Each structure stands twice: as C-alpha cells, then as structure tokens.
Amino acid sequence: MKKSKLLAIMLIAGLSITACQKEADKKEEPKEEAKVEDKAEEGKEEGKEEGEKAQTTELTFKPGTYEAESPGYNGPMKVSVKFSENKIEDIEVVENVETDHVGTPAFDIVKADVIAANGTGVDNVSGATITSAAFKSAINKAAEEAEVSDLEGFKKNTIEVKPQEAIEETYDVVVVGAGGAGVSAAVEAAQAGNKVAIVEKNVEIGGNTLVSGGQYQSVMPYLVWDKENPDATEGEHNGEKFEKVKSDNGRIHTLETIYNWSEEPFDEKLSDGEEFVIGDIEALSKRGVHEEYLPVLKALKEEIKAYLDWAKPQLEAGKQETDLTLFSTINLHIFQTYYGGIRPNFERTAWVYGNEGLVSQFIKEGQEIKPWLNEMGSKFDDSTQRTLIGCLWQRENQFIGSEIDGQMEEGRWATYFRAPIHKFEELNKENKIYRRADAKKLIEEDGKVVGVEGELFDGTPFTLKANKGVILATGGYAANIEMVKETNEYWDPEALEGSLKTTNRNSLMGDGIRMGKEVGADTTGEGFTQMMPISWIQDGNLAFGGGEDVIYISPKTGKRYVDESAERDVLSKGAFENGIEINGTKGVFVEVGNVESPIPGPYPYKDEDVNLRQYVREISELDGLFKELKIDLTGKQIEDAIKEYDSYVMGQTDHLDVSKESYRSLIGVAEKDENGKYKPETYKIGKIRVRFLAPSTHHTMGGLKVDDHRRVLNKEGKPISGLYAAGEVTGGIHGGNRLGGNAITEIIASGRTAAKTVEEDNK
C-alpha cells in the first residue's frame, strides 16, 4: 500500500502516527486560568520546516509513578506519569473537565508523542491547544517530582517530522469544515448517492457547535396553542401525548406590539440627536416594515388575533398568563428573526436586516431537523420549548444524545455528530473525513471551482478534486479578534479595546471567507459581530444561561440596568456601558439568580464556588465577598435590587425602573395560593447564585454572499460555478443581531440546502 494511502487511512481514523506528529500550534506552557490570552492567538500556526529533526536529550529519573496537576481549559487537570530510570513508561489522565471531542482528543495524541520523544517538546494539537499545553505542563511537574536530570532538556525533547507523499483524490462533493453545517451538507450529499470528502482543520469534527449551548430554535406545533383546538392541554407527536407548554409572563404584551406594528414602508430616517434604542420594539414597530416582510407580518397578525381573542377573556376572568398555552408559529419566528436583526451601524448612516428569502428558508426547513436527525438515531427532549439568552421566545429544542446499534450516548456530540457521521460512513465506504487538514486554496479550472488544496498537520500536501461542487462550511471569524476590529461597523471601537475574548474555538479565523474572496466571491454584513453577553471574564468561554430567571446588576450603581430577556447586543451594549473592567476585560457585570433556578445548556457548576465565576451565598455574606474581590458593591444594594424585581414579579407593583419584556420566576422564594398567585407574606430571600460575566465575541453575521440556494455569488451577483456555502461562513441572514438558538437551526438547514443545490445543478 502506498504511504499516502496508509497515511490517509490513519488520519481519517484520528490515530497518532509517531513519524507524522508535527502539529502547527505554538509550544507553550498553559497560563493560569485568569491570564489566558486570546484563543485566536493560541491557535496561530507556525511554519513547518521540511524534515524537521528530533531533539533528544538523554535523561534520568527516579523510578516510580507521580501525580501532578495543571489548570486546563475548563478547570484543573490531574495526570499520573510512570517513569523508569531513563524514560516515560506511561501517562494517565486521572481527572479533567475538558470539553469532550474538543479538548479530550488531544490526550491520546500528545501522550503518544511525549512517550516517543521522552519529553514535552512535541507540538500541541490544533483545536485543543490549551488542553494540550496544560497536559504537557502537568507532565513537566511530574517529571520534576521524579527528579529529572535535565528539566529544560525534557521540555525540548521532540520527534522527527517528515511530510509524506502528496495525497491526490477525486470525489463528487468536497465539504470544507466539519461543524454542524459541514456535516449536515456531507450527509445530505451522501444520501443523494455521492462520494463525499470532508476536510476538517481540527483534530475532531464538531466545530463551534460543540462549544455552543446546543439548543436550536424551531416551534414544535404539537406543544403550542392550536387554533383548531384552542382549549387542548395536550398534543400528539409520533404516537405519544405531551402536555402543552405554558406561556412565560410578558408574551401577551409582545404579541400586542406586533399586532399593532405599522405596515407602512420602514422609515430609516434618524434625525439629528435622535437615539435609536436597540431592543425597543415599541419604537421599532412605529417605523414600519420592509416590503418583503409585509406578507409575513399580515399573516402573523391574523394568527395573533385568533390567539388574543381566545386568551384575553381568560385573563379578564382572573387567569394568570402563565396558565395559558404558549402561542408560537413559524411566522412569529420569521418576524422575530427579522426585527431582532434590524440595526443601524455605529455611525447611524445605514441599516442592516436579514434577507427574507434566507430567513424564511432556514426557519421553514428547520421543521425538518428533528425528524431528519431522529431517523439517524439522534434523540431530543420532545416535551419542551425552552429559552436561552437572547432568543426572544420559548422555542428552543433540547438535545439528549443518540442511540446507535442499541448503544446510547448523551450530549451535543452524540446528537449532532455521532449519529450523522455513522450514517455518512454507512452510506458509502469511500466517504472520508480528513482530520487535522488545513484547506488553503480553492482550485479553479475554466471558471469553475473544482476542488481544494491544503496541507495535513505534518506538512503533507493534499489535493481533493470535486466532480460536482465544493461546499464551504468553515464557520465565521469571531476568534480572529483583529479581523473583528478591522471590519467593525457596529460597536463603539473603545468597547473592543482591552482584553477582548471569544467564545469560539481558535480555528474560527475566517479561512473560508478568505478562500471565497480569492476566487471572486462577494461578502455582506461583515461589520456586524455578535457579542455573547454571558461569558466568563477569564477566558471568554460561554457561561450558559437565560435572562428570564435572573437579574443583571451594574457594579457601578448596584442596580438593574437592562431587560435581561432582550437581544444579545442589547445585553452586551448595556454591559459595556454599565460594567467595570477586571484584568483588562471590559463590561464585567453581576448576574444574580435563585440557586435553584436551572441554567440552560451543559452547565458544569451546580452550587459550588468557582473563582471569579460563580459564588453561592446568603445576602448577609455578600459584603465579605465583594470586599474580597475588591468590587465596590454591598449586600444591601443586591437585596434592594432583588426586592424591587420580585415585588414586580409577584404583582405587588406594576412598575420596574428598568422594564422587562418577559420573566419567569422570583429571585427569592414565596408560596402560591390555589389560583397560582404569590403570597407576599411568605416571601424571603434564600441562597442566591452570583456570577461575574462579560461580553466576548461569539458570532459573525457577515460572510460570503449567497443566493437562496446557497450558491456563492460574485460581485456582479452571479453564482460562482461549483462553489456553495453554508452556515456562519455566509452573511445576510441574521442582520445586525442573531437570535439565540438560530445558529444551529440555520447551519443544519443551510448545509442540507447547499447539498441539494449541488445535486440540482448537476442534473
């Protein structure tokens, strides 16, 4: 068997190859958690030298097994290392909280390299750089415990690297990127009978989907109000009955605002000194509607009227809004995606909003996501319609995992990747996934894109030709902080200075946009980057959560400053204006919630303290906490803010200094009477969860310009033959702000659309 074929097989399996362990990431020790630099910096590649030689320093150790610990990406990592007199015999990861299929794949690869090199001078694994560095740091500490004869030599010992014979293969479809969009495109293409290759830069497939909340927005009609059976309390799905979802408080007010929305053409004029308050839909509704969304609005108004005619008499009779079945339709989802993305630029000279065709397409096709994945073995919680930060409505679908050949596995990976890739490999044994493969350039012949060139992690060049088309699904560029700043047209430039971080994996650098531009692709909306308002201040990682059950407190004033259920840019702008700076991170604010309130997403912390992240305390203990953290707040200020908010939730007052569109529960606790109303005389504040959060870059709304079929367009608005794109690499969909949970809906729907278009264009 040729070396190139053998290498490809081993790479596809994700195996570590001693002769091919050159990884293009920086060799560096992990920083203390509070000092981690931009993940974009962590992921930068070094140039590879042809045939880089191994460095070997002869060493001695005190034989034995030693344990050591180092701060990893998500928390402490403990390793056990067995040494003989002159070499490492074995390495075991004893404890870790690294993200499955993101950080954890680095362990086997780095372990094999370190043992082969007898030292930690080997390279980090792309996409798991910080985990790799932390792993090596812990091994270094174990070597010190083993009294290594030359610690610096141990840290430099590495292995020989030689690029292998070039790989040249031909497929029907080549997909660049193996996140949610890429995998969906590849599976859909394979289901059409194509031979498909996926090119993935990281060590494992999954992309940003694996570091997201993992829930996707799509209304489940059987769980919400049905005009044909308005009093129904149950709905049927796949032969099983489910209790219909109840409404949160505030939904009726939103529906009334939409029902009264002006149908005049949208007024873009902003007079001198006039402030446009993002998130104020009352004001936005008076500006009118863009022509292409008018039919959606009219149809939605008819749906809302039918619901209000049913709901209002019940409210007038004394029912609580939370007793009512939730109203939710596809038209509501489309219209909220539209108005949640209408934004002027920072200079207030131009407006942006989502393309109606693209928005309607992904939302309507989002209805097929669950049945499509279910057929492959993916599992969802079919009984809920949840919320998460900045989603605007109860419309989120919660993943569970997947069941393949009778084997159940839980989590995001299992739901969105294990099941589809099992199907992908089953459909055609020649389908391949090239992991740790960096696509560099699109191949053009006679005005058509016919493939992609790139380089494997060891320097081996590859050329993958595509008979039918290339689909770019490389994600956005939120990890490329400099590109975010250079393209910015939305945020106050001062807010982006300092230690701005990202929720993204370090591979999200804008590679697909660059490659598309090189073959003449047009772009749109690149000036609008979404901030994730609830990120950890040390590293920018997504903290998970929703706004309906919590309040946000300004460390400057000790008061609420924003509607916590509003859009993500509203929350982030509020944080930048009302937060403080800690260790260079701007916009730090305090989130306060009842310790019993669940946090959406795969939340790793329950009720324990985590330094500069989360603290569980009684009100009486807060003064000491704030003093220890050197934050100018008092327990009395937090108590006053909680009581003002809870009085409103209990119905004791009808006014909040800062209004809130939708809310669910108290921060304190109180009993309810037989009619579901709170009994204020039973109210008290128990233990609360205090979190310290700040905005970080999350999603780039701008990217390659595509038509409704996901063909990439050139600057003349014409499709570039053979080139398609799906997911965050594209622009024009979410306008200036994306609703929480819309990304996964869009990436899966658009990936499938792109693959279907490839097939249609080659008939």
Side-chain angles (χ1 to χ4, degrees), residues 31 70 91 124 130 139 290 371 380 417 425 547 572 702 755 763:
K31 304 169 181 68
S70 183
I91 305 168
N124 298 329
I130 297 174
I139 295 169
H290 291 89
F380 292 87
F417 298 100
E425 293 170 341
S572 297
K763 285 181 179 178

Side-chain angles (χ1 to χ4, degrees), residues 643-663:
K643 285 182 175 178
E644 187 228 2
Y645 177 78
D646 281 352
S647 292
Y648 180 79
V649 174
M650 289 190 290
Q652 289 181 287
T653 63
D654 59 3
H655 171 77
L656 280 172
D657 286 343
V658 177
S659 64
K660 187 161 183 170
E661 189 71 15
S662 181
Y663 51 94

Side-chain angles (χ1 to χ4, degrees), residues 612-681:
L612 269 182
R613 291 192 177 193
Q614 170 177 293
Y615 302 87
V616 176
R617 293 287 190 276
E618 301 278 354
I619 290 290
S620 60
E621 299 172 309
L622 292 181
D623 284 345
L625 173 64
F626 293 138
K627 184 176 181 181
E628 176 189 337
L629 297 176
K630 298 180 180 178
I631 293 175
D632 191 19
L633 275 175
T634 67
K636 180 66 165 56
Q637 288 175 306
I638 302 298
E639 182 179 21
D640 289 345
I642 292 173
K643 285 182 175 178
E644 187 228 2
Y645 177 78
D646 281 352
S647 292
Y648 180 79
V649 174
M650 289 190 290
Q652 289 181 287
T653 63
D654 59 3
H655 171 77
L656 280 172
D657 286 343
V658 177
S659 64
K660 187 161 183 170
E661 189 71 15
S662 181
Y663 51 94
R664 184 175 301 122
S665 60
L666 300 172
I667 308 301
V669 292
E671 297 174 12
K672 290 184 177 181
D673 63 21
E674 63 276 9
N675 296 316
K677 293 185 178 181
Y678 287 107
K679 298 162 68 174
E681 67 274 13

Side-chain angles (χ1 to χ4, degrees), residues 23 47 128 145 258 260 379 393 446 563 583 591 659:
E23 174 58 41
E145 291 293 320
I258 296 172
N260 292 310
K379 305 290 184 183
W393 210 253
D446 300 323
D563 175 352
N583 296 336
E591 180 195 89
S659 64

Side-chain angles (χ1 to χ4, degrees), residues 222 236-242 370 374 382:
Y222 64 92
E236 189 170 319
H237 174 65
N238 289 339
E240 186 177 354
K241 288 189 175 181
F242 295 90
K370 193 180 286 189
N374 283 162
D382 291 329

Side-chain angles (χ1 to χ4, degrees), residues 218 229 387 408 429 661:
S218 192
N229 192 5
T387 61
M408 184 68 192
K429 300 303 179 185
E661 189 71 15

Side-chain angles (χ1 to χ4, degrees), residues 353-367:
Y353 63 97
N355 176 288
E356 190 275 330
L358 294 172
V359 169
S360 292
Q361 179 199 64
F362 91 77
I363 289 173
K364 290 175 181 177
E365 295 188 3
Q367 293 283 292

